[in-house]
Amino acid sequence: MTQGTPIPTRLVTDLGKDELAPRRRFGRRQIVGIVFGSIGIGLLGGIAPAITSETRAFAFEPPPDPLSLQFNPKTIVIVIGIVYLITAALSFLPAKYDRWSLIGQIVATALGIPLILAISLALSAAPETNVINLLDQSLILATPIALGAMTGLWCERSGIINIGIEGMMLGAAGVGFMTYAIMGAASSPGWLWIAILVAILAGGLLATLHAVLSIRYQINQIVSGVVINLFALGLTGFIRSEVIVPSGSSKGVPTADIALPILSKIPIIGDTLFTGRPLHFLMYLVVFLTWLVMFRTAWGLRVRSCGEKPHAAETLGINVIKIRYQAVILGGFIAGLAGAWFSMEAQAGFEDNMTNAAGFIALAAMIFGKWTPWGAFAGALLFGFARALGSRLQFLDVSIGDFGIPSEFFQMLPFLVTMIVVAGALGRAVAPAAEGQPYTPSK
Amino acid sequence: MTVVDGPVPVLDVRGVTKTFPGVIANEDIDLTLNQGEIHCLLGENGAGKSTLVNVIFGLYKPDKGTVKVRGEEVKFAGVGEAIEHGIGMVHQHFQLIPVFTVAENVILGDELTNGPFLSMNEARRRIRELEEQYGLIVDPDAKVGDLSVGEQQRVELVKALFREADILILDEPTAVLTPGEVDDFFAVVRSLVDQGKSIIFITHKLREVLAVADRITVLRNGRIAGTADPATATQQSLANLMVGRDVVFQVDKGEAHPGEVALRVEDLSVEDERSVMTVNGFSAEVRAGEIFGIAGVEGNGQRELVEAITGMRRKAGGTVEILGHNATKLTPRKIAELGTAHIPEDRNKHGLVGSYSVADNMVLNKYSQAPFARRWVRNTSAVHDEAEELVEQFDIRTPSVDVPIDTLSGGNQQKVIVARELTGDVDLLIVAQPTRGLDVGSIEYIHQQIIDRRDRGAAVLLVSAELDEILSLSDRIGVLYRGRLVGVFDGADATREELGYLMATGSTPDTEEVAS
Ligand SMILES: Nc1ncnc2c1ncn2[C@@H]1O[C@H](COP(=O)(O)OP(=O)(O)OP(=O)(O)O)[C@@H](O)[C@H]1O
Ligand SMILES: [Mg+2]
C-alpha cells in the first residue's frame, strides 16, 4: 500500500464538446490588419487634407487626345483610406470569418498601386500619366526576373539551391553577344537567333557546372552558386574587353518588334501590350510550360519528389541523381534565355555586370511566389512594376512644396508593400523540404 | 531424380551477406517464402532484419549470395527492377512525401498518363478499386502530411499493391499503430493472403507473430538463429531464441514508497497546431518514488501534455510545478536543469540529431557541463568515454560511437536516448512511448531501469499507448480522455477491461447511467 495522502481513485468528470473549438489568437493576420489600419488613418488624417483637389487623369492611349480617366486624387485617397480601415476591422473578426479578412487584405494590397499612382500624380506638375504604357514597361522589365525565377524553381524544386542564377544570366548574355559580334553582326540578321541559341546553351553549360559541383562532388550549394557568379563576372569581363571590343561591333541590332496576331488588334491595349519583342513573349510561354510540366506531367512529379524526400523517390525506383541533373540543366537553359534578353533584346550590346542583380531579384520573386510558377510570375510582375514606376516618377518630377521627392523613395514603396504582404497576408512560405541537402544513393 | 515436390517458393534467398563499414549486418542468410504464406522475421534491434529485406528489395546490393524470385535468379540494379518482379515493401520509416496527395504518392515512379499528362482521374479510380478489393480505406485527394500514422500505413500498402506486388515485405508495420489500428491492419493482411499474396512480416510483438505467422525465422547478430513453428512456439520460447537467454516478461516490481510531490500540474490547457485545446483542464500530482502512468487512446492530448510539461510547447492556461519550482514559463533547458529527464515520443524530431555521432547524441542534454566542456571548450575525450560506457551498459549495437546516429537500426537509436536520459541525477522522469520499436530483451532492460529510478526516489510520469506497459509498470494509472483525466486507478487493482472502457468512452458504465 502506498503512503502519504490518500490516492483519489475513480474520479470521473465529463467534458463538453464546445471546449474543443479553435480559438482566435493574435497572429500575423492581425498585425497586418494593424499596419493597414495605421496607413488608413495616415491617409485620411494626414495625406487627404494636404493633397490637391484638382483633377488628374490616367491616360490609356498616346497623345494627342487620349482616352483618359479623370479623377480627383483627394477622393481616391479618402476612399482607399476607408477601405484600409475596413480591412483592419475585418482582421479582428472571429476565426470563422478568416476568409473575409484575407480577401480584404488582398484587395487592400492591390489598391496600393492606384494609391501610389494617385498620390504621386497629385504631387507632380504633370496632370496625367499613361498607365497602359506603365503596365507595358512593367511587363518588359519583368521578363528576366520571371525567367530567372523559373530557373530557380526548376533547381530548387529538385532539391538544389541555386544562387548562381545571376551568373548564369550574365555568362549567357556575354557569350551570346560575343557570338553575335564576331560571327555575324554585319552579315545576316539570322545570326542574332543563332547567338540567342548560343546564349541558351551557355546558360545550360554553367548550370551543368553547378550540377556537377553540387550533385556529384556535394560541395555546399551556396558556395557553388557563388563560384558560378564570380566565374561569370570574370569571364564576361574578359570577353568584353578582349573579344567584343576588338571585334569592332560592340553595338548591334536587337530583336525586332512583332505584333501578335488578333491580340494586337484589341483597342486601347492591343497596340501597346501585344506588340513587342519576341523573347518577352517567349517568357510567358516559359512560365506556362514550367507550370504545365512541373505539375501535370510524370517527370514534373518526379522532380518535385526529389526536392521533398529523395530517399522516398529512390524506394520507388526513381534515379534521384539523374532527375536533379536534368532539372538543374533545364533551369540553366532558361537562365540563358534571360541572358539573351539582356544583351540581344533590351539592347544589342554587352556591358559589364549588365544583369544588375536581376538574378537575385528573381530568387526573391520565386520565394514571394512560394515556389510556384504563377506565384513567382506575380512576384516578377511586382518587381517589374517597381522598376518601371521608379523610372516613370523621375520624369513626373514629384515634389512636396519645394522639396523634390527622390524617385528612389517611390521605387522603394512597392517593395515595402511586398514585405508587408509576404510577412502577413500570404503566411509563411515553405521551401522544398530536401532543398540544399546532398543526396547519396543507397548501396 | 527425386525432387521434393513441394510448392516452388516465390522467393528464395541463399547465403546473403551484407556488410557496412565496421558491421556485418547479414551473414550467410537463407530464407524462403512460399506462395500465400506469412513468414515472420524476428530479431533483436540491429539483428539485420531491415538490411535483409532491403537487399531483397534491391535497395542494398548484397556482398555475397543469391536471390531467386519464382525460381529465376535476379540481380537487381535498383529498386525499379524489384518492383517489376512484383516485390513491394512497406518501410520501417515511412517513405511518403508529406506535401503530396495520397494519389500523387501512390503513382509516383509508376505514373499513369494520358498522352504526356498525368491522369489523376485514372489514379483515383485505381485507388478506389484497391480500396474495395482489400478494404484499404484512403482518400486519394487528402494530403499525406495531414493523415494519421495508421492512414499513412495504408497509403504505403496501397502504393505496393498499385504496382501489383504479390510479394509484400512489411517492416515493423505495427510499431506505431494504436491497438485499434492494429486490428484493422491485420484484417487487411488476411485479405491480402486470401487473395494469394505472400508476405514477409517483421515485428517485435510476439503476440502478433503467434497470431498470424505461418512460419517464423529468427535472426541474431546478422545470422539465422533458428526457425520456429507457430503451432508449438510460445512467446517465451521465441524471446529466448531472439535474445539467446531467458527473458522475463513479468517485471519484478516492489512496493512504491511515495514521498514529496515532484510534479504538480494544475488546470493545464494546451493548444495543438490547429489551435484546438487538446489538453483541457488537466490536473495531476506525481510523487517522488512512484510511477504515474497515463493511459489513453492516442490523440487525446498525450503529445501536447508532455510537450507542455517539458517546456517545449506554450501553455494556454494553468500551472506546472516541478520539484518545488514554478515551471510554467521555464524553457526546456531550465526544466532539464531542475533535474528532469525526458524521453520524447518522436525520437527523430525531438530526441536525436541524425547527422551527429552517437557520442554527441549521448551528451545532448549535458554537453555544456563539466566534464564534457570546460567553459566554452568541449572535452571530446570525456564525451567519447561516457558514450562508450553507455553503449556497453545499454547493449547498443553500433560499430563505434563515432558513426552518425542515423546509420543505427531504429531500436538502437531509441536505446541511445534512453541511455542518455537515464544517467545522471534524475528526480523527475517523463517518458513517452519508451519502448516503441524495441525488442523484448531491450524492453525488459528499460523497464527495469525505469523501476530502478523509481526505487532510487525519482518521480516517473509514463505515457504509453501500450496498455500492457502501463499496467505492468504503473503504481497509479490515470486515464486521459479529450485532454483531461477522467479517472485515476490504483495500479495494483486496475484491469484491462476497466481501463479500456474508460479510454474509449470517457466514462465508467455506472456513471453513464447517472448522466442519461
Ligand atoms: N546504411 C547503413 N550504414 C551503416 N550501417 C548500417 C546501415 N544500415 C544498417 N546498418 C547497421 O546494420 C545493422 C543491422 O541494422 P538493421 O537496420 O538491419 O537492424 P534491424 O534488425 O532492422 O533492427 P530494428 O529492429 O532496430 O529495426 C545495425 O548494426 C546497423 O547499425
Ligand atoms: Mg529495422
Side-chain angles (χ1 to χ4, degrees):
Chain A
M1 272 287 97
T2 50
Q3 298 157 357
T5 51
I7 294 160
T9 50
R10 291 185 171 66
L11 159 141
V12 179
T13 53
D14 55 310
L15 182 66
K17 253 196 191 123
D18 47 352
E19 289 170 72
L20 293 171
R23 286 192 333 153
R24 191 100 188 98
R25 252 223 310 265
F26 189 81
R28 293 164 189 282
R29 190 63 59 72
Q30 286 67 43
I31 294 174
V32 178
I34 290 177
V35 171
F36 276 122
S38 340
I39 299 178
I41 292 172
L43 289 176
L44 293 175
I47 297 185
I51 214 166
T52 172
S53 47
E54 285 165 42
T55 355
R56 292 285 191 263
F58 290 149
F60 297 97
E61 281 175 332
D65 191 23
L67 175 72
S68 62
L69 178 74
Q70 311 277 333
F71 65 91
N72 182 336
K74 193 173 233 156
T75 323
I76 294 227
V77 168
I78 291 174
V79 169
I80 293 180
I82 291 172
V83 172
Y84 278 16
L85 288 181
I86 293 173
T87 303
L90 283 178
S91 34
F92 287 94
L93 289 181
K96 63 178 170 179
Y97 299 111
D98 238 25
R99 257 194 111 66
W100 290 104
S101 85
L102 180 65
I103 292 173
Q105 295 189 355
I106 290 172
V107 170
T109 309
L111 285 177
I113 290 172
L115 179 69
I116 293 172
L117 280 175
I119 295 180
S120 44
L121 209 54
L123 293 177
S124 93
E128 66 174 36
T129 191
N130 186 328
V131 283
I132 298 291
N133 241 327
L134 182 65
L135 189 59
D136 191 42
Q137 275 299 309
S138 310
L139 291 173
I140 289 172
L141 291 175
T143 305
I145 301 174
L147 288 172
M150 296 306 120
T151 303
L153 217 50
W154 278 114
C155 296
E156 303 218 343
R157 280 288 189 155
S158 79
I160 305 292
I161 295 176
N162 188 353
I163 66 158
I165 302 172
E166 174 79 2
M168 293 176 192
M169 287 185 184
L170 186 65
V175 172
F177 188 75
M178 172 186 78
T179 312
Y180 176 71
I182 57 174
M183 301 305 289
S187 52
S188 85
W191 273 103
L192 184 65
W193 285 96
I194 292 174
I196 288 172
L197 200 66
V198 170
I200 291 172
L201 293 176
L205 208 62
L206 283 168
T208 310
L209 178 64
H210 182 53
V212 171
L213 289 178
S214 53
I215 299 172
R216 170 101 190 262
Y217 296 105
Q218 305 197 346
I219 288 177
N220 181 304
Q221 295 167 10
I222 304 276
V223 172
S224 169
V226 170
V227 167
I228 302 275
N229 287 337
L230 295 176
F231 172 70
L233 201 60
L235 176 78
T236 53
F238 173 82
I239 286 178
R240 194 189 64 84
S241 63
E242 301 300 316
V243 186
I244 298 177
V245 172
S247 80
S249 45
S250 34
K251 279 276 167 279
V253 184
T255 52
D257 273 356
I258 52 171
L260 295 186
I262 305 169
L263 289 176
S264 59
K265 300 284 184 290
I266 299 174
I268 304 174
I269 55 169
D271 203 35
T272 320
L273 295 187
F274 297 108
T275 307
R277 305 280 173 80
L279 299 189
H280 169 64
F281 291 132
L282 213 51
M283 175 267 288
Y284 297 113
L285 189 66
V286 168
V287 172
F288 173 75
L289 286 177
T290 295
W291 167 79
L292 190 72
V293 174
M294 195 176 275
F295 291 92
R296 289 289 180 271
T297 70
W299 186 69
L301 188 70
R302 290 178 180 202
V303 169
R304 287 185 286 138
S305 74
C306 293
E308 290 292 338
K309 198 163 171 185
H311 191 259
E314 193 192 1
T315 63
L316 294 168
I318 292 170
N319 186 337
V320 176
I321 302 294
K322 193 172 99 190
I323 296 267
R324 284 189 168 177
Y325 267 106
Q326 290 170 340
V328 171
I329 293 171
L330 172 65
F333 289 145
I334 299 174
L337 187 65
W341 180 88
F342 279 102
S343 66
M344 287 173 279
E345 179 160 299
Q347 66 183 78
F350 183 82
E351 292 154 21
D352 284 340
N353 197 22
M354 74 187 304
T355 47
N356 195 17
F360 296 107
I361 295 180
L363 272 181
M366 176 191 76
I367 295 168
F368 170 89
K370 294 188 175 182
W371 284 267
T372 63
W374 296 115
F377 178 63
L381 289 185
L382 189 71
F383 294 133
F385 173 74
R387 291 195 152 184
L389 185 68
S391 50
R392 172 66 57 95
L393 294 175
Q394 259 166 346
F395 299 115
L396 285 182
D397 202 10
V398 178
S399 57
I400 297 177
D402 287 339
F403 176 67
I405 297 176
S407 65
E408 286 81 2
F409 177 77
F410 285 95
Q411 251 174 321
M412 181 201 75
L413 277 182
F415 291 98
L416 194 68
V417 175
T418 311
M419 274 194 280
I420 297 171
V421 178
V422 172
L426 292 177
R428 205 163 72 92
V430 183
E435 183 187 85
Q437 298 165 9
Y439 188 70
T440 316
S442 306
K443 285 185 217 85
Chain B
M1 220 167 78
T2 53
V3 179
V4 188
D5 208 22
V8 181
V10 288
L11 188 72
D12 188 358
V13 177
R14 289 269 160 255
V16 160
T17 299
K18 174 71 187 172
T19 55
F20 292 110
V23 211
I24 305 175
N26 285 163
E27 192 175 1
D28 198 22
I29 302 235
D30 294 343
L31 186 82
T32 60
L33 179 68
N34 295 327
Q35 167 76 38
E37 76 170 353
I38 300 180
H39 191 151
C40 275
L41 210 50
L42 284 179
E44 291 176 284
N45 297 124
K49 306 178 296 294
S50 295
T51 305
L52 176 63
V53 289
N54 277 323
V55 166
I56 297 173
F57 193 53
L59 206 53
Y60 294 160
K61 284 171 199 60
D63 305 338
K64 269 203 284 241
T66 60
V67 177
K68 281 188 194 165
V69 178
R70 284 176 222 91
E72 171 205 351
E73 185 168 338
V74 291
K75 279 213 157 47
F76 296 140
V79 171
E81 292 175 28
I83 293 174
E84 274 165 32
H85 279 78
I87 303 178
M89 176 156 163
V90 174
H91 299 262
Q92 185 170 4
H93 303 112
F94 292 158
Q95 299 300 333
L96 296 169
I97 293 168
V99 298
F100 281 13
T101 65
V102 169
E104 286 173 327
N105 265 290
V106 169
I107 62 172
L108 178 64
D110 191 17
E111 296 84 357
L112 295 170
T113 49
N114 180 1
F117 301 117
L118 290 173
S119 172
M120 297 314 287
N121 282 333
E122 179 66 11
R124 282 187 203 102
R125 203 182 55 73
R126 288 282 304 279
I127 291 171
R128 293 233 176 74
E129 263 174 34
L130 291 170
E131 184 174 316
E132 255 164 51
Q133 197 177 349
Y134 301 102
L136 284 162
I137 299 160
V138 287
D139 170 9
D141 295 307
K143 199 169 259 180
V144 162
D146 298 337
L147 299 182
S148 75
V149 187
E151 289 168 314
Q152 296 192 18
Q153 180 78 264
R154 291 203 285 273
V155 178
E156 285 282 26
L157 271 176
V158 171
K159 267 168 69 179
L161 295 170
F162 172 81
R163 289 165 175 74
E164 281 160 6
D166 45 25
I167 300 172
L168 281 170
I169 300 167
L170 310 176
D171 193 354
E172 291 195 40
T174 53
V176 290
L177 299 187
T178 60
E181 287 172 328
V182 170
D183 293 342
D184 295 343
F185 178 77
F186 280 121
V188 171
V189 167
R190 278 192 205 95
S191 91
L192 289 171
V193 173
D194 289 344
Q195 302 189 38
K197 311 278 181 202
S198 319
I199 295 177
I200 295 180
F201 182 60
I202 299 177
T203 181
H204 288 295
K205 297 180 186 172
L206 302 176
R207 195 170 341 151
E208 293 175 359
V209 175
L210 292 175
V212 301
D214 295 309
R215 280 198 294 152
I216 301 169
T217 296
V218 180
L219 296 187
R220 195 189 320 145
N221 288 330
R223 292 162 171 273
I224 301 265
T227 55
D229 177 358
T232 56
T234 62
Q235 293 198 33
Q236 189 68 52
S237 69
L238 290 178
N240 295 354
L241 192 54
M242 270 169 67
V243 184
R245 65 177 165 82
D246 277 342
V247 176
V248 195
F249 279 98
Q250 195 50 52
V251 264
D252 187 15
K253 185 170 70 132
E255 224 173 76
H257 301 287
E260 292 295 301
V261 173
L263 171 69
R264 175 178 286 128
V265 182
E266 253 161 52
D267 202 23
L268 182 69
S269 309
V270 189
E271 288 180 359
D272 69 0
E273 289 77 11
R274 302 158 297 161
S275 311
V276 176
M277 278 286 182
T278 42
V279 177
N280 205 336
F282 177 96
S283 301
E285 279 180 4
V286 185
R287 294 175 175 272
E290 72 163 349
I291 299 177
F292 185 67
I294 293 190
V297 176
E298 248 178 81
N300 273 281
Q302 287 92 332
R303 189 167 58 92
E304 291 78 16
L305 174 66
V306 169
E307 289 182 7
I309 294 176
T310 52
M312 286 155 59
R313 186 180 279 274
R314 239 190 87 226
K315 299 159 192 74
T319 56
V320 175
E321 195 185 300
I322 292 176
L323 304 163
H325 302 263
N326 181 351
T328 316
K329 294 221 158 69
L330 295 186
T331 60
R333 182 167 176 161
K334 283 267 156 48
I335 288 173
E337 281 167 4
L338 291 178
T340 309
H342 174 209
I343 300 174
E345 166 182 340
D346 184 339
R347 60 173 168 250
N348 294 313
K349 200 157 150 201
H350 296 136
L352 300 168
V353 184
S355 56
Y356 283 17
S357 69
V358 172
D360 285 343
N361 273 291
M362 282 287 196
V363 296
L364 278 186
N365 58 345
K366 44 184 175 280
Y367 68 94
S368 60
Q369 297 158 16
F372 307 114
R374 239 170 268 117
R375 287 177 180 274
W376 299 294
V377 186
R378 297 189 61 203
N379 180 351
T380 41
S381 73
V383 172
H384 204 93
D385 293 346
E386 165 90 355
E388 295 212 307
E389 203 183 304
L390 290 176
V391 162
E392 173 80 34
Q393 191 188 333
F394 283 78
D395 189 26
I396 296 167
R397 310 286 164 85
T398 172
S400 86
V401 298
D402 300 315
V403 298
I405 196 146
D406 52 16
T407 66
L408 263 58
S409 81
N412 281 298
Q413 294 180 11
Q414 178 71 4
K415 286 205 218 170
V416 170
I417 299 178
V418 174
R420 176 182 73 212
E421 298 297 328
L422 289 184
T423 39
D425 289 329
V426 179
D427 294 317
L428 172 63
L429 180 60
I430 296 171
V431 273
Q433 325 292 357
T435 55
R436 185 171 266 180
L438 292 194
D439 64 54
V440 282
S442 310
I443 292 174
E444 178 195 8
Y445 185 74
I446 286 172
H447 281 175
Q448 209 50 61
Q449 291 293 316
I450 292 175
I451 289 168
D452 232 47
R453 273 290 162 191
R454 178 202 77 169
D455 291 343
R456 277 152 61 195
V460 181
L461 180 69
L462 167 73
V463 177
S464 174
E466 300 280 332
L467 210 44
D468 290 336
E469 182 160 82
I470 295 275
L471 280 166
S472 66
L473 288 181
S474 310
D475 300 311
R476 284 192 301 139
I477 300 171
V479 175
L480 188 67
Y481 181 75
R482 305 183 81 185
R484 175 180 295 196
L485 278 189
V486 291
V488 179
F489 296 83
D490 197 309
D493 63 49
T495 64
R496 268 187 91 86
E497 292 68 33
E498 211 171 11
L499 289 176
Y501 192 87
L502 196 54
M503 280 162 64
T505 61
S507 54
T508 48
D510 41 335
T511 56
E512 208 169 39
E513 279 160 34
V514 176
S516 59

